Structures are given as C-alpha cells and as structure tokens.
Amino acid sequence: IAQWALAALLIWQLRRRVGPLGGGRLLVTFGKTLVSSAVMGAAVWTLYRATHRFVPPHAMALQLAHLLLVIAVGVGVYGLLVWLFRIEEVGYILTLLREGYRRVSPQRPLA
C-alpha cells in the first residue's frame, strides 16, 4: 500500500510540474498489455500442463527443448496479441531495434 501511495504522490507531483501526462492513453496501453500478458500466461500454462508429462525427468536435453518450446510459444502469443492490439510503444521499440539506438535518440555526453 505504501508503494502505491508513494507512486501516486510522485505522479501527482510530476503532473503539477510538467503538465498532463496522457493518463488515459497510458491506462489503455496498460489494459492492452494486461490482457496480452494474461492470454500469454494462460497459453503457456496450458501448453506446459498438456506436454510436461511426456518429458522424462532425467532427460536434460528434452527438458531444455520443452522449456524452449514453451517460451517460444509464449513469445509468439504475446507478440501476436501486441501486434493485433497495435500497442504504440512496441512500434517505438521496434524502430529502435531496426534503426539502432544512436540514430533515433540525440547524442548526450556521459557526464
């Protein structure tokens, strides 16, 4: 509760100093991210529960392959949902990855 209260106080102070923060847009993005995460979690949990009994407990290579499969499915499901929801911040991150961080942001001295 204390962390939530502190976060609310800091946001309130920041808003007083810099103006509106676009809280409505942030809430929409938060909701989309929450739904995407919940669906991904359900997909990963379902896949793991359905397939883990077929992996022998002492076969490390198969356990690793199983883990990588579950992770890949999770990343795929989340990525698909983020794309379908058109989450704006993901587009920004992809632009950073495509063009490189230095091309997108201005150069700043280190100290």
Side-chain angles (χ1 to χ4, degrees):
I1 294 172
Q3 291 295 327
W4 282 101
L6 179 61
L9 179 64
L10 290 172
I11 289 170
W12 177 71
Q13 287 179 341
L14 181 64
R15 188 170 182 212
R16 282 184 48 205
R17 290 185 185 183
V18 299
L21 301 175
R25 204 177 92 225
L26 288 174
L27 282 176
V28 168
T29 299
F30 175 74
K32 291 177 181 181
T33 304
L34 185 66
V35 169
S36 298
S37 298
V39 172
M40 177 202 65
V44 165
W45 183 79
T46 302
L47 177 64
Y48 177 79
R49 298 280 294 166
T51 59
H52 83 282
R53 65 178 161 249
F54 301 112
V55 180
H58 299 293
M60 277 303 235
L62 288 177
Q63 287 182 354
L64 179 62
H66 181 243
L67 176 64
L68 291 175
L69 171 71
V70 171
I71 290 171
V73 168
V75 168
V77 167
Y78 187 77
L80 176 65
L81 290 169
V82 162
W83 179 74
L84 289 173
F85 284 144
R86 307 247 190 268
I87 296 178
E88 181 180 335
E89 289 79 4
V90 174
Y92 178 71
I93 291 170
L94 291 176
T95 301
L96 286 175
L97 292 174
R98 243 184 273 120
E99 297 179 11
Y101 180 75
R102 291 189 176 154
R103 292 187 208 163
V104 176
S105 68
Q107 293 287 340
R108 287 188 279 163
L110 286 176

